Amino acid sequence: VFFLSKKGMTDVIDERFSLLTVTEGWQLQSVDNNNISYRKRRKKIMKKNNKFFKYVSQNIFAMIGMSCYIIADTFFISRAEGTDGITVLNLALPLYGIIFAIAAMIGIGSATRYAIARERKDKDENRYFCNAVVFEILIGLIFMTAGVFFTDKVMAVMGADKEIIELGRGYNRIFLAFAPAFMVNYTFTGFVRNDNDSKLVMIATLTSCVSNIILDYVFMFPMGMGMNGAALATSLSPIISILICSIHFFKKTNRIKF
């Protein structure tokens, strides 16, 4: 009986020890799996954070460049034309604001809808780019017509007197003639940025800003074009940006279709 009992107890202990070993092994394996899962989640979150930081920082640098060229534009105009030149520029700013607001509404709004449709794998995702470009060209033509044929009336409505109209006629006529380019530029930068190429958009924006500053000086001082030179330099900057953004359409990563 003693040996039987001893053997029986040994079997029970062995069984419990085996069960305990299996349980501890499962717990250790569970802890390892949790650690691996945690590390994967952490790595995924860090990757998203880095991507978000890269996306935001590149757009911030682009906006800083744009602010610098506005300051430089104001400085060159003040040096070339004095207070009257600044008056012309201030009268043109509301027109700039209206054009940029409409362009942002169509361009950035369409680019956002395109990104959403692409993630949802919507068949109509390709229509947003073409529609945005067409609408912005049509609306830009309205501003261009007003600037080319009714420049004096537009400036008079903005509050300009005869002297300011004489000085600013060429400036307003030139930049309003390029209104379609200003508007289409918002569509190109918005769509290329949302197609995971924010670096190219940053390069395009900074390049157009730097070229604007350089052309401002060249047109206004060595070439003596005055306010007309400032308007031409500003009007060429969105065209430069559009040309650089167009490089994206020739890349293998491009998903924007016409």
Short mmCIF file of all heavy atoms in Angstrom, two decimals, residues 50-86:
data_model
loop_
_atom_site.label_atom_id
_atom_site.label_comp_id
_atom_site.label_asym_id
_atom_site.label_seq_id
_atom_site.Cartn_x
_atom_site.Cartn_y
_atom_site.Cartn_z
N ASN A 50 6.26 59.41 -38.39
CA ASN A 50 7.34 59.93 -39.23
C ASN A 50 6.80 60.40 -40.58
O ASN A 50 7.23 61.44 -41.09
CB ASN A 50 8.41 58.87 -39.44
CG ASN A 50 9.17 58.54 -38.17
OD1 ASN A 50 9.24 59.36 -37.25
ND2 ASN A 50 9.72 57.34 -38.09
N LYS A 51 5.87 59.65 -41.14
CA LYS A 51 5.27 60.03 -42.41
C LYS A 51 4.47 61.31 -42.27
O LYS A 51 4.55 62.21 -43.13
CB LYS A 51 4.37 58.89 -42.91
CG LYS A 51 3.80 59.12 -44.30
CD LYS A 51 2.99 57.92 -44.74
CE LYS A 51 2.42 58.13 -46.14
NZ LYS A 51 1.61 56.96 -46.59
N PHE A 52 3.73 61.43 -41.16
CA PHE A 52 2.94 62.64 -40.92
C PHE A 52 3.85 63.85 -40.72
O PHE A 52 3.61 64.92 -41.27
CB PHE A 52 2.06 62.43 -39.68
CG PHE A 52 1.25 63.65 -39.29
CD1 PHE A 52 0.12 64.00 -40.00
CD2 PHE A 52 1.64 64.44 -38.23
CE1 PHE A 52 -0.62 65.12 -39.65
CE2 PHE A 52 0.92 65.55 -37.87
CZ PHE A 52 -0.21 65.89 -38.58
N PHE A 53 4.93 63.67 -39.93
CA PHE A 53 5.87 64.77 -39.69
C PHE A 53 6.52 65.20 -40.99
O PHE A 53 6.69 66.41 -41.25
CB PHE A 53 6.94 64.33 -38.69
CG PHE A 53 7.99 65.36 -38.44
CD1 PHE A 53 7.73 66.46 -37.63
CD2 PHE A 53 9.24 65.24 -39.02
CE1 PHE A 53 8.70 67.42 -37.42
CE2 PHE A 53 10.21 66.20 -38.81
CZ PHE A 53 9.95 67.29 -38.00
N LYS A 54 6.91 64.25 -41.82
CA LYS A 54 7.53 64.56 -43.11
C LYS A 54 6.55 65.32 -44.00
O LYS A 54 6.92 66.32 -44.63
CB LYS A 54 7.97 63.26 -43.79
CG LYS A 54 8.67 63.47 -45.12
CD LYS A 54 9.08 62.14 -45.71
CE LYS A 54 9.74 62.33 -47.08
NZ LYS A 54 10.11 61.01 -47.67
N TYR A 55 5.31 64.88 -44.01
CA TYR A 55 4.27 65.52 -44.83
C TYR A 55 4.04 66.96 -44.37
O TYR A 55 4.01 67.89 -45.17
CB TYR A 55 2.98 64.71 -44.72
CG TYR A 55 1.83 65.23 -45.54
CD1 TYR A 55 1.65 64.83 -46.86
CD2 TYR A 55 0.90 66.10 -44.99
CE1 TYR A 55 0.59 65.29 -47.61
CE2 TYR A 55 -0.17 66.57 -45.73
CZ TYR A 55 -0.32 66.16 -47.04
OH TYR A 55 -1.37 66.63 -47.77
N VAL A 56 3.91 67.15 -43.06
CA VAL A 56 3.62 68.48 -42.52
C VAL A 56 4.83 69.41 -42.68
O VAL A 56 4.69 70.57 -43.07
CB VAL A 56 3.20 68.37 -41.04
CG1 VAL A 56 3.09 69.76 -40.41
CG2 VAL A 56 1.88 67.64 -40.92
N SER A 57 6.02 68.91 -42.36
CA SER A 57 7.22 69.76 -42.40
C SER A 57 7.49 70.26 -43.81
O SER A 57 7.88 71.42 -44.00
CB SER A 57 8.43 68.98 -41.87
OG SER A 57 8.69 67.84 -42.68
N GLN A 58 7.28 69.42 -44.82
CA GLN A 58 7.53 69.85 -46.19
C GLN A 58 6.55 70.93 -46.61
O GLN A 58 6.92 71.88 -47.32
CB GLN A 58 7.44 68.64 -47.14
CG GLN A 58 8.61 67.68 -46.98
CD GLN A 58 8.43 66.40 -47.77
OE1 GLN A 58 7.35 66.10 -48.24
NE2 GLN A 58 9.50 65.63 -47.90
N ASN A 59 5.32 70.83 -46.16
CA ASN A 59 4.33 71.88 -46.46
C ASN A 59 4.63 73.16 -45.71
O ASN A 59 4.39 74.26 -46.21
CB ASN A 59 2.93 71.38 -46.13
CG ASN A 59 2.40 70.39 -47.14
OD1 ASN A 59 1.93 70.78 -48.20
ND2 ASN A 59 2.47 69.11 -46.83
N ILE A 60 5.16 73.04 -44.49
CA ILE A 60 5.54 74.23 -43.73
C ILE A 60 6.67 74.98 -44.43
O ILE A 60 6.63 76.21 -44.55
CB ILE A 60 5.94 73.85 -42.29
CG1 ILE A 60 4.71 73.39 -41.50
CG2 ILE A 60 6.62 75.01 -41.58
CD1 ILE A 60 5.03 72.84 -40.13
N PHE A 61 7.69 74.24 -44.90
CA PHE A 61 8.79 74.87 -45.62
C PHE A 61 8.28 75.57 -46.89
O PHE A 61 8.77 76.65 -47.25
CB PHE A 61 9.85 73.84 -45.98
CG PHE A 61 10.73 73.44 -44.83
CD1 PHE A 61 10.82 72.12 -44.43
CD2 PHE A 61 11.44 74.40 -44.13
CE1 PHE A 61 11.63 71.76 -43.36
CE2 PHE A 61 12.25 74.04 -43.06
CZ PHE A 61 12.34 72.71 -42.68
N ALA A 62 7.33 74.95 -47.56
CA ALA A 62 6.77 75.57 -48.76
C ALA A 62 6.05 76.88 -48.43
O ALA A 62 6.20 77.88 -49.15
CB ALA A 62 5.80 74.59 -49.44
N MET A 63 5.29 76.89 -47.34
CA MET A 63 4.59 78.11 -46.93
C MET A 63 5.56 79.19 -46.48
O MET A 63 5.34 80.38 -46.72
CB MET A 63 3.61 77.77 -45.80
CG MET A 63 2.48 76.84 -46.21
SD MET A 63 1.49 77.48 -47.58
CE MET A 63 0.78 78.95 -46.85
N ILE A 64 6.65 78.80 -45.82
CA ILE A 64 7.68 79.77 -45.42
C ILE A 64 8.30 80.42 -46.66
O ILE A 64 8.51 81.64 -46.71
CB ILE A 64 8.77 79.10 -44.56
CG1 ILE A 64 8.19 78.69 -43.20
CG2 ILE A 64 9.96 80.02 -44.37
CD1 ILE A 64 9.14 77.88 -42.35
N GLY A 65 8.59 79.60 -47.67
CA GLY A 65 9.12 80.14 -48.92
C GLY A 65 8.17 81.11 -49.58
O GLY A 65 8.59 82.17 -50.09
N MET A 66 6.88 80.80 -49.56
CA MET A 66 5.88 81.69 -50.14
C MET A 66 5.83 83.02 -49.39
O MET A 66 5.72 84.10 -49.99
CB MET A 66 4.51 81.01 -50.13
CG MET A 66 3.43 81.76 -50.90
SD MET A 66 1.87 80.86 -50.95
CE MET A 66 2.36 79.44 -51.92
N SER A 67 5.92 82.96 -48.06
CA SER A 67 5.92 84.18 -47.26
C SER A 67 7.14 85.05 -47.57
O SER A 67 7.04 86.28 -47.64
CB SER A 67 5.89 83.83 -45.77
OG SER A 67 4.74 83.07 -45.45
N CYS A 68 8.28 84.40 -47.77
CA CYS A 68 9.51 85.14 -48.07
C CYS A 68 9.40 85.87 -49.41
O CYS A 68 9.84 87.02 -49.54
CB CYS A 68 10.70 84.18 -48.09
SG CYS A 68 11.15 83.53 -46.47
N TYR A 69 8.79 85.22 -50.40
CA TYR A 69 8.70 85.89 -51.70
C TYR A 69 7.71 87.05 -51.65
O TYR A 69 7.88 88.05 -52.35
CB TYR A 69 8.37 84.88 -52.81
CG TYR A 69 6.97 84.87 -53.33
CD1 TYR A 69 6.49 85.87 -54.15
CD2 TYR A 69 6.10 83.81 -53.03
CE1 TYR A 69 5.20 85.85 -54.65
CE2 TYR A 69 4.82 83.78 -53.52
CZ TYR A 69 4.37 84.80 -54.32
OH TYR A 69 3.09 84.78 -54.81
N ILE A 70 6.68 86.96 -50.83
CA ILE A 70 5.74 88.08 -50.67
C ILE A 70 6.45 89.27 -50.04
O ILE A 70 6.28 90.42 -50.46
CB ILE A 70 4.54 87.65 -49.82
CG1 ILE A 70 3.68 86.62 -50.59
CG2 ILE A 70 3.68 88.86 -49.46
CD1 ILE A 70 2.57 86.01 -49.76
N ILE A 71 7.28 89.00 -49.04
CA ILE A 71 8.05 90.08 -48.39
C ILE A 71 9.02 90.70 -49.40
O ILE A 71 9.15 91.93 -49.49
CB ILE A 71 8.81 89.54 -47.17
CG1 ILE A 71 7.82 89.10 -46.09
CG2 ILE A 71 9.76 90.59 -46.61
CD1 ILE A 71 8.46 88.38 -44.92
N ALA A 72 9.71 89.85 -50.17
CA ALA A 72 10.66 90.35 -51.16
C ALA A 72 9.96 91.16 -52.24
O ALA A 72 10.45 92.22 -52.68
CB ALA A 72 11.43 89.18 -51.78
N ASP A 73 8.78 90.68 -52.66
CA ASP A 73 8.00 91.38 -53.68
C ASP A 73 7.63 92.78 -53.19
O ASP A 73 7.77 93.77 -53.92
CB ASP A 73 6.75 90.56 -54.00
CG ASP A 73 6.14 90.95 -55.33
OD1 ASP A 73 6.90 91.22 -56.28
OD2 ASP A 73 4.90 91.00 -55.43
N THR A 74 7.17 92.86 -51.95
CA THR A 74 6.80 94.16 -51.37
C THR A 74 8.02 95.07 -51.26
O THR A 74 7.94 96.28 -51.54
CB THR A 74 6.19 93.95 -49.97
OG1 THR A 74 5.09 93.04 -50.07
CG2 THR A 74 5.69 95.27 -49.40
N PHE A 75 9.15 94.51 -50.88
CA PHE A 75 10.38 95.30 -50.73
C PHE A 75 10.83 95.89 -52.06
O PHE A 75 11.13 97.09 -52.16
CB PHE A 75 11.49 94.42 -50.15
CG PHE A 75 12.84 95.09 -50.11
CD1 PHE A 75 13.13 96.05 -49.16
CD2 PHE A 75 13.81 94.75 -51.05
CE1 PHE A 75 14.38 96.67 -49.14
CE2 PHE A 75 15.06 95.36 -51.03
CZ PHE A 75 15.34 96.33 -50.07
N PHE A 76 10.85 95.08 -53.12
CA PHE A 76 11.30 95.57 -54.43
C PHE A 76 10.34 96.63 -54.98
O PHE A 76 10.79 97.62 -55.58
CB PHE A 76 11.41 94.40 -55.41
CG PHE A 76 12.58 93.50 -55.15
CD1 PHE A 76 12.44 92.12 -55.17
CD2 PHE A 76 13.84 94.02 -54.88
CE1 PHE A 76 13.52 91.28 -54.94
CE2 PHE A 76 14.93 93.19 -54.64
CZ PHE A 76 14.76 91.81 -54.67
N ILE A 77 9.04 96.42 -54.79
CA ILE A 77 8.08 97.41 -55.28
C ILE A 77 8.24 98.73 -54.54
O ILE A 77 8.18 99.82 -55.14
CB ILE A 77 6.64 96.86 -55.13
CG1 ILE A 77 6.40 95.73 -56.14
CG2 ILE A 77 5.61 97.97 -55.35
CD1 ILE A 77 5.06 95.04 -56.00
N SER A 78 8.45 98.66 -53.23
CA SER A 78 8.63 99.89 -52.46
C SER A 78 9.90 100.63 -52.88
O SER A 78 9.92 101.87 -52.92
CB SER A 78 8.68 99.57 -50.97
OG SER A 78 9.82 98.79 -50.65
N ARG A 79 10.96 99.89 -53.21
CA ARG A 79 12.21 100.51 -53.64
C ARG A 79 12.07 101.12 -55.03
O ARG A 79 12.67 102.16 -55.32
CB ARG A 79 13.33 99.48 -53.65
CG ARG A 79 13.69 98.92 -52.29
CD ARG A 79 14.48 99.90 -51.45
NE ARG A 79 15.80 100.14 -52.02
CZ ARG A 79 16.69 100.97 -51.50
NH1 ARG A 79 16.38 101.65 -50.41
NH2 ARG A 79 17.88 101.13 -52.05
N ALA A 80 11.29 100.49 -55.89
CA ALA A 80 11.18 100.96 -57.27
C ALA A 80 10.14 102.05 -57.45
O ALA A 80 10.36 103.01 -58.20
CB ALA A 80 10.84 99.78 -58.18
N GLU A 81 8.99 101.93 -56.76
CA GLU A 81 7.87 102.84 -57.00
C GLU A 81 7.44 103.63 -55.77
O GLU A 81 6.54 104.46 -55.86
CB GLU A 81 6.67 102.07 -57.55
CG GLU A 81 6.94 101.32 -58.85
CD GLU A 81 7.24 102.24 -60.02
OE1 GLU A 81 6.91 103.44 -59.93
OE2 GLU A 81 7.80 101.76 -61.02
N GLY A 82 8.02 103.34 -54.62
CA GLY A 82 7.69 104.09 -53.41
C GLY A 82 6.32 103.74 -52.85
O GLY A 82 5.80 102.64 -53.06
N THR A 83 5.72 104.72 -52.17
CA THR A 83 4.43 104.49 -51.50
C THR A 83 3.29 104.23 -52.48
O THR A 83 2.38 103.47 -52.19
CB THR A 83 4.08 105.68 -50.60
OG1 THR A 83 4.08 106.89 -51.40
CG2 THR A 83 5.09 105.84 -49.47
N ASP A 84 3.36 104.86 -53.66
CA ASP A 84 2.31 104.62 -54.65
C ASP A 84 2.33 103.16 -55.13
O ASP A 84 1.29 102.56 -55.39
CB ASP A 84 2.49 105.56 -55.85
CG ASP A 84 2.12 107.00 -55.51
OD1 ASP A 84 1.45 107.21 -54.47
OD2 ASP A 84 2.52 107.90 -56.27
N GLY A 85 3.52 102.60 -55.26
CA GLY A 85 3.63 101.20 -55.65
C GLY A 85 3.04 100.28 -54.60
O GLY A 85 2.35 99.29 -54.94
N ILE A 86 3.28 100.59 -53.33
CA ILE A 86 2.68 99.79 -52.25
C ILE A 86 1.17 99.92 -52.27
O ILE A 86 0.44 98.95 -52.00
CB ILE A 86 3.26 100.23 -50.89
CG1 ILE A 86 4.77 99.98 -50.83
CG2 ILE A 86 2.57 99.50 -49.75
CD1 ILE A 86 5.16 98.54 -50.96
#
